[in-house]
Amino acid sequence: MLLKPLPALTILLLGSVTFAQQKPLSAIDKKVEALLAKMTLDEKIGQLNQYSADGLATGPLTENGNKFQQIKEGKVGAMLNVRGAKDTRMVQGYAMQSRLKIPLLFGLDVIHGYRTTFPIPLAEAASWDMRAIQSSARVSATEAAAGGIHWTFAPMVDIARDPRWGRVMEGAGEDPYLGSMIAAARVHGFQGNGLGNLDAVMACVKHFAAYGAAIGGRDYNTVDISDRTLWETYLPPFKAAADAGAATFMNSFNELNGIPASGNRYLQTDILKGKWHFKGFIVSDWGSISEMVAHGFAKDGKQAGEEAINAGNDMDMEGHSYINNLAQLVKEKKVPMSRVDDAVRRILRKKFEMGLFDDPYRFSNEDRESKVLNLAPNHEIARDVARKSIVLLKNDNELLPLSKNLKNIALIGPLAKADKDMMGFWSVMWENDHLVSLYEGLQNKLGNNTNLLYSQGCDVTDTSKRGFAEAIAAAKQAEVVIMAVGEHFDMSGEAKSRANIHIPGIQEDLVKAIVETGKPVVVLTMSGRPMIFNYTADHANAILQTWWLGSEAGNAIADVLFGDYNPSGKLPMSFPRSEGQIPVYYNYKSTGRPSQNDLGINYRSGYNDLPNSPRYAFGYGLSYTTFAFSDLKLSKNKFSKNESTTVTCTIKNTGPYAGEEVVQLYLRQLVGTVTRPVKELKGFEKISLKPGESKTVSFVIGKEQLSFYNQQMQWGTEPGEFRLMIGNSSDHILLQDKFELVN
Ligand code: GLC
């Protein structure tokens, strides 16, 4: 995955270069050109205009006033938040009344499931299982396509190092390499065997770019980062998604180094459409074009439209900027017709590829919808992905897995019976949705064998301890206590930034009260983000991070609690000890005064009141079994930049349970013309081993793994010594070696 920045000069040339040798037009391109030639300026602008249905259409859509009238007049190219075969067919029918009968695209935020809800993306990232992640997107696409949806606004690939930002739940965490692998897996899952298939939807890679670097973790806030950080940390997953063939991109609300993404030519034209040769189209985020007025980047909606279209944004989502201003801007020659035509071509090409001109209603088939949306196997896939997303953070004295023969289990906490919360933010909500709560999952698992003593104890956010006494009494009657604490599903997500990311309310006081009964306590932390829970981390006997796991949450958690699945998840994002540490991430720089003992005393870089290290590190996660790492070998310890070395090591299951381990490969270039992180993930493999079984894992290290941006921002390698580290967490390195790259 090569990412090379564009030196300024190239950027200038790109704009003026005309490609004398145009490739012969494809069959679709010929149709696009033929249609384009018939279109009036207003009809062209209509294709660049996207509206949302008012509210999520959970019931039959009624005549939507002006928007539907505009569709009939050919002034709308796409809708979002219209869903279901029936409603999409009805609204598509309005487009068929327009002069040229150009079909609408129907987009929806199918972020982690359409009818079957999957774990939130950050949870799935914890599985480190690309096949599972791809299958999740595949099912989501199949169901959405059956529901009349052509286009999902996913995958969200924003790297996030700040858990105060509520949208961390929607991405793949802090690492560019893991994030890139997941981005590609999700694009392949959504687009399946290619656009035009009735189970494929267009992916939309978002939010381009660096939205996750918002200062202070405050959603929509300013992003001001170096070019090197942009290219090295935030762009790789976008490039991986583009290379995977993503059909569309969505830009972002934030400004990047002074220029809002929606009006950012460097991002949209020079990098995405220029350097990366992206042939799809870019949609703005909701109203992000007109928001450039609030940014202070445009004096009014008209200038905002001019900036956006000229910077490379193709479609205006609910900004009403293009539809109200583009015709005038073209007449005033502030926007060249060639740019409008380019945007229209990109959108029409996707409509042809989706087969919508052959049959505008092909995805709006109620018979197929009823068959596809409720398939039992989809729930099995959801349960499998959910199990794999659970991270075992602590298991003192192998308390877990629990025996199914326990007579009395106390189930305590405000999320023990929560079902709606299991869906997480950005789920497609249904009135008759069924989400398996932890309580129901335990009932399903244990039947009448075990007495489940339930007590809520407290609410998620309230401060009343009036429920503690009952909870303590329940605990005292039990052999084991299972507690479910954390956030409500809508405490992480868009516009859900929090300055305090401790477990909310007095839930940790409840944990303390239950721990003090002396009973063995298993705590399930449920959230869309890394939370802070130092008391629980120090005093609970066992802890599982269960995120929001979707439709099959309770069943998946019960599978893990009782050993029907050995947890294999690894954290895709660091869990801080305190908000004061943020941002805290694993691939940090050494500094000139690295903190040896993890405390910043004696003029070392650190805090005097807290270790530098997070509470739980990137890549961390335990298992019910144990694994031994051995026999590290390199085929070469010295090689040139055009060669590679093959790294092998042996992993053995040395414990009593079958299980999976994520073998993680980290590298560090010890000296460079720019400083390099103390470690960077450059490879991983998730392997399954039976008790006593061994496997050899191998990685190839070459130019791609060793390249970085030098002082001139040129991508390439530099000779020098490297430290190679292999472990089962970024802070648990088990094998090390060195090698030298020579000129
Ligand atoms: C929202 C989000 C974006 C989403 C879009 C449509 O504001 O930022 O991720 O796809 O609007 O719902």
Coordinates of all heavy atoms in Angstrom, one line a residue, residues 548-583:
W548 N -21.0 -2.9 22.0 CA -22.4 -3.1 21.7 C -22.4 -4.2 20.6 O -21.9 -3.9 19.5 CB -23.1 -1.8 21.2 CG -23.1 -0.8 22.3 CD1 -22.7 0.5 22.2 CD2 -23.7 -0.9 23.6 NE1 -22.9 1.1 23.4 CE2 -23.5 0.3 24.3 CE3 -24.3 -2.0 24.3 CZ2 -23.9 0.5 25.6 CZ3 -24.7 -1.8 25.6 CH2 -24.5 -0.6 26.2
L549 N -23.0 -5.3 20.9 CA -22.8 -6.5 20.0 C -23.9 -6.8 19.1 O -23.9 -7.8 18.4 CB -22.4 -7.7 20.9 CG -21.1 -7.6 21.6 CD1 -20.9 -8.8 22.6 CD2 -19.9 -7.6 20.6
G550 N -25.0 -6.0 19.1 CA -26.0 -6.2 18.1 C -27.1 -7.2 18.5 O -27.3 -7.6 19.6
S551 N -27.7 -7.8 17.4 CA -28.9 -8.6 17.6 C -28.6 -9.8 18.5 O -29.5 -10.2 19.2 CB -29.3 -9.2 16.2 OG -29.6 -8.1 15.4
E552 N -27.5 -10.4 18.4 CA -27.2 -11.6 19.2 C -26.3 -11.4 20.4 O -25.6 -12.3 20.9 CB -26.5 -12.6 18.2 CG -27.4 -13.2 17.1 CD -28.5 -14.0 17.7 OE1 -28.2 -14.8 18.6 OE2 -29.7 -13.8 17.3
A553 N -26.3 -10.2 20.9 CA -25.4 -9.8 22.0 C -25.4 -10.8 23.1 O -24.4 -11.4 23.5 CB -25.7 -8.4 22.5
G554 N -26.6 -11.0 23.7 CA -26.7 -11.8 24.9 C -26.2 -13.2 24.7 O -25.6 -13.8 25.5
N555 N -26.6 -13.8 23.5 CA -26.1 -15.1 23.2 C -24.6 -15.2 23.1 O -24.0 -16.2 23.5 CB -26.8 -15.6 21.9 CG -28.3 -15.9 22.2 OD1 -28.7 -16.3 23.3 ND2 -29.1 -15.7 21.1
A556 N -24.0 -14.2 22.4 CA -22.6 -14.2 22.2 C -21.9 -14.1 23.5 O -20.9 -14.8 23.8 CB -22.2 -13.1 21.3
I557 N -22.3 -13.2 24.4 CA -21.7 -13.1 25.7 C -21.8 -14.3 26.5 O -20.8 -14.8 27.1 CB -22.3 -11.9 26.5 CG1 -22.1 -10.5 25.7 CG2 -21.8 -11.8 27.9 CD1 -22.8 -9.4 26.2
A558 N -23.0 -15.0 26.5 CA -23.2 -16.2 27.2 C -22.2 -17.3 26.7 O -21.7 -18.1 27.5 CB -24.6 -16.7 27.1
D559 N -22.0 -17.3 25.4 CA -21.1 -18.3 24.8 C -19.7 -18.2 25.4 O -19.0 -19.2 25.7 CB -21.0 -18.1 23.3 CG -22.3 -18.6 22.5 OD1 -23.1 -19.3 23.1 OD2 -22.4 -18.2 21.4
V560 N -19.3 -16.9 25.6 CA -18.0 -16.7 26.1 C -18.0 -16.9 27.6 O -17.1 -17.6 28.1 CB -17.5 -15.2 25.8 CG1 -16.3 -14.8 26.6 CG2 -17.3 -15.1 24.3
L561 N -18.9 -16.5 28.3 CA -18.9 -16.6 29.8 C -18.9 -18.1 30.2 O -18.2 -18.4 31.2 CB -20.2 -16.0 30.4 CG -20.3 -14.5 30.5 CD1 -21.7 -14.0 30.9 CD2 -19.2 -14.0 31.5
F562 N -19.5 -19.0 29.4 CA -19.6 -20.4 29.8 C -18.7 -21.3 29.0 O -18.9 -22.5 29.0 CB -21.1 -20.8 29.8 CG -21.8 -20.1 30.9 CD1 -22.5 -19.0 30.6 CD2 -21.8 -20.6 32.2 CE1 -23.2 -18.3 31.6 CE2 -22.5 -19.9 33.2 CZ -23.2 -18.8 32.9
G563 N -17.8 -20.6 28.3 CA -16.7 -21.4 27.6 C -17.1 -22.1 26.3 O -16.3 -22.9 25.8
D564 N -18.3 -21.7 25.8 CA -18.6 -22.3 24.4 C -17.9 -21.6 23.3 O -17.9 -22.0 22.2 CB -20.1 -22.2 24.2 CG -20.9 -23.2 25.1 OD1 -20.2 -24.2 25.5 OD2 -22.0 -23.0 25.4
Y565 N -17.3 -20.5 23.7 CA -16.3 -19.8 22.8 C -15.2 -19.2 23.7 O -15.5 -18.5 24.6 CB -17.0 -18.7 21.9 CG -16.0 -18.1 21.0 CD1 -15.6 -18.7 19.8 CD2 -15.4 -16.8 21.4 CE1 -14.6 -18.1 19.0 CE2 -14.5 -16.2 20.5 CZ -14.1 -16.9 19.4 OH -13.1 -16.3 18.6
N566 N -14.0 -19.5 23.3 CA -12.8 -18.9 24.0 C -12.5 -17.5 23.5 O -12.2 -17.4 22.3 CB -11.7 -19.9 23.8 CG -10.4 -19.4 24.6 OD1 -10.5 -18.4 25.2 ND2 -9.4 -20.2 24.5
P567 N -12.6 -16.5 24.3 CA -12.5 -15.1 23.8 C -11.2 -14.9 23.1 O -10.1 -15.4 23.6 CB -12.6 -14.2 25.0 CG -12.4 -15.1 26.2 CD -12.8 -16.5 25.8
S568 N -11.2 -14.2 22.0 CA -10.0 -14.0 21.2 C -9.7 -12.6 20.8 O -8.8 -12.3 20.0 CB -10.1 -14.9 19.9 OG -11.2 -14.4 19.1
G569 N -10.6 -11.7 21.3 CA -10.5 -10.3 20.8 C -9.3 -9.6 21.4 O -8.7 -10.0 22.4
K570 N -8.8 -8.6 20.6 CA -7.7 -7.7 21.0 C -8.1 -6.3 20.8 O -8.7 -5.9 19.8 CB -6.5 -8.0 20.1 CG -6.0 -9.5 20.1 CD -5.2 -9.8 21.4 CE -4.7 -11.3 21.3 NZ -4.0 -11.7 22.5
L571 N -7.7 -5.4 21.7 CA -8.2 -4.0 21.7 C -7.6 -3.3 20.4 O -6.4 -3.3 20.2 CB -7.8 -3.3 22.9 CG -8.4 -3.8 24.2 CD1 -7.9 -2.9 25.4 CD2 -9.9 -3.7 24.2
P572 N -8.5 -2.7 19.7 CA -8.1 -1.9 18.5 C -7.7 -0.5 18.9 O -7.4 0.3 18.0 CB -9.3 -1.9 17.6 CG -10.5 -2.0 18.5 CD -10.0 -2.8 19.7
M573 N -7.9 -0.2 20.2 CA -7.7 1.2 20.6 C -7.2 1.1 22.1 O -7.7 0.3 22.9 CB -9.0 2.0 20.5 CG -8.8 3.4 20.4 SD -10.4 4.2 20.1 CE -10.0 5.9 20.5
S574 N -6.3 2.0 22.5 CA -5.8 2.0 23.8 C -6.9 2.5 24.8 O -7.7 3.4 24.4 CB -4.7 3.0 23.9 OG -3.7 2.7 23.0
F575 N -7.0 1.9 26.0 CA -7.9 2.4 27.0 C -7.1 3.2 28.1 O -6.2 2.6 28.7 CB -8.5 1.2 27.7 CG -9.7 0.6 27.0 CD1 -9.7 0.3 25.7 CD2 -10.9 0.3 27.7 CE1 -10.8 -0.3 25.0 CE2 -12.0 -0.3 27.1 CZ -11.9 -0.6 25.7
P576 N -7.3 4.5 28.2 CA -6.5 5.3 29.1 C -6.8 5.0 30.6 O -7.8 4.4 30.9 CB -7.0 6.7 28.8 CG -7.9 6.6 27.6 CD -8.4 5.2 27.5
R577 N -5.8 5.5 31.4 CA -6.1 5.5 32.8 C -6.9 6.7 33.3 O -7.5 6.7 34.3 CB -4.7 5.4 33.6 CG -3.9 4.3 33.3 CD -2.5 4.5 33.9 NE -1.5 3.5 33.4 CZ -1.4 2.3 34.0 NH1 -2.1 2.0 35.1 NH2 -0.5 1.4 33.5
S578 N -6.6 7.8 32.5 CA -7.2 9.0 32.9 C -7.4 9.9 31.6 O -6.7 9.7 30.7 CB -6.3 9.8 33.8 OG -6.5 11.2 33.8
E579 N -8.4 10.7 31.6 CA -8.6 11.7 30.5 C -7.4 12.5 30.3 O -7.0 13.0 29.3 CB -9.8 12.5 30.7 CG -11.2 11.8 30.6 CD -11.6 11.2 32.0 OE1 -10.8 11.3 32.9 OE2 -12.7 10.7 32.0
G580 N -6.6 12.7 31.4 CA -5.4 13.5 31.4 C -4.4 13.0 30.5 O -3.5 13.7 30.0
Q581 N -4.4 11.7 30.2 CA -3.4 11.1 29.3 C -3.7 11.3 27.8 O -2.9 11.2 27.0 CB -3.4 9.6 29.5 CG -2.8 9.1 30.7 CD -2.8 7.6 30.7 OE1 -3.8 7.0 30.7 NE2 -1.6 7.0 30.8
I582 N -4.9 11.6 27.5 CA -5.4 11.6 26.1 C -4.7 12.7 25.3 O -4.6 13.8 25.8 CB -6.9 11.7 26.0 CG1 -7.6 10.5 26.7 CG2 -7.4 11.8 24.6 CD1 -9.1 10.6 26.9
P583 N -4.2 12.4 24.1 CA -4.2 11.2 23.4 C -3.1 10.2 23.8 O -2.0 10.7 24.0 CB -4.0 11.6 21.9 CG -3.2 12.8 22.0 CD -3.6 13.5 23.2

